[in-house]
Amino acid sequence: MSKNETFFVRLFGLLICMVPLYGEITVGLLTSIENNSKMKLLYKNIPVPCEPFGVIPLEKMILSGVNPQECKNAIDTYYKAHPRDKNFARDYLHIQQSYHFETIKGGCVLYANGTETYSEMLLRMGLAVIDPAFDNTEWNGKLKRSRQGAQMQKSGLYDTQIRAFCIKEEN
């Protein structure tokens, strides 16, 4: 192979390797917030439901709790004592603002605070637990670090009886 051919082969290989770096950035407009676990984005004029990925927020725990009625009562009691946490999504996310997002296994990765995702924010505040069915090596470490912050500060569900009534402990 001549020098010119080698140069063009290398240049072509370099360009192919750089193509993923210029992928489309997905940006959606937040149009509604139902609660801490359900939001809607608008992407290319198409509504996209957005539920936090990899976590089970308190609102979903009510549906799948070990003792559903006691779980609901514990969560309602917590929200009465901490009304700001009930409106966490409305306080930290803003309607008609654009957010970067991507979807992973039916969940929505919403970059709400720079590189921190909305799921990480929920875990850090103790308003969610990591979904035991979620297994993604890229995200497991980040989610566990966020959860540890809530556990150490005894915030959210780590300061109440919610875990006892809503979460089935695996041994």
Side-chain angles (χ1 to χ4, degrees):
M1 209 183 292
S2 71
K3 284 185 174 182
N4 287 339
E5 288 175 329
T6 304
F7 173 76
F8 284 113
V9 167
R10 288 182 179 171
L11 180 64
F12 182 70
L14 181 65
L15 290 174
I16 293 216
C17 291
M18 290 179 60
V19 167
L21 297 176
Y22 295 101
E24 181 181 349
I25 296 174
T26 310
V27 177
L29 183 71
L30 184 63
T31 56
S32 70
I33 299 172
E34 186 176 322
N35 57 35
N36 288 340
S37 69
K38 290 187 181 183
M39 296 159 278
K40 286 192 181 163
L41 297 165
L42 193 62
Y43 175 66
K44 293 185 178 180
N45 288 330
I46 299 171
V48 177
C50 184
E51 295 186 13
F53 80 102
V55 299
I56 303 172
L58 294 179
E59 289 79 7
K60 281 193 168 185
M61 280 184 212
I62 293 172
L63 304 174
S64 61
V66 176
N67 300 321
Q69 189 57 43
E70 291 174 345
C71 177
K72 182 181 181 340
N73 292 340
I75 291 173
D76 288 342
T77 302
Y78 174 77
Y79 278 151
K80 284 178 187 170
H82 302 89
R84 188 173 174 116
D85 287 349
K86 185 171 185 163
N87 296 314
F88 181 78
R90 289 182 183 92
D91 288 344
Y92 287 93
L93 303 175
H94 305 287
I95 303 285
Q96 299 301 316
Q97 182 171 328
S98 296
Y99 292 95
H100 292 268
F101 77 97
E102 60 184 290
T103 55
I104 295 179
K105 294 182 184 177
C108 178
V109 180
L110 184 70
Y111 294 94
N113 186 15
T115 59
E116 186 179 36
T117 65
Y118 180 65
S119 297
E120 290 172 285
M121 292 171 72
L122 286 173
L123 286 171
R124 184 173 38 85
M125 296 299 294
L127 301 176
V129 294
I130 297 174
D131 186 352
F134 181 78
D135 186 27
N136 185 317
T137 54
E138 179 183 353
W139 292 99
N140 285 343
K142 286 184 170 188
L143 295 178
K144 287 178 182 176
R145 278 191 299 277
S146 297
R147 179 190 63 197
Q148 286 174 342
Q151 287 175 330
M152 289 188 322
Q153 294 177 358
K154 300 267 187 225
S155 61
L157 62 96
Y158 299 101
D159 188 34
T160 65
Q161 291 294 315
I162 293 173
R163 289 179 51 223
F165 296 132
C166 300
I167 300 171
K168 181 179 179 181
E169 295 292 332
E170 301 277 332
N171 291 330

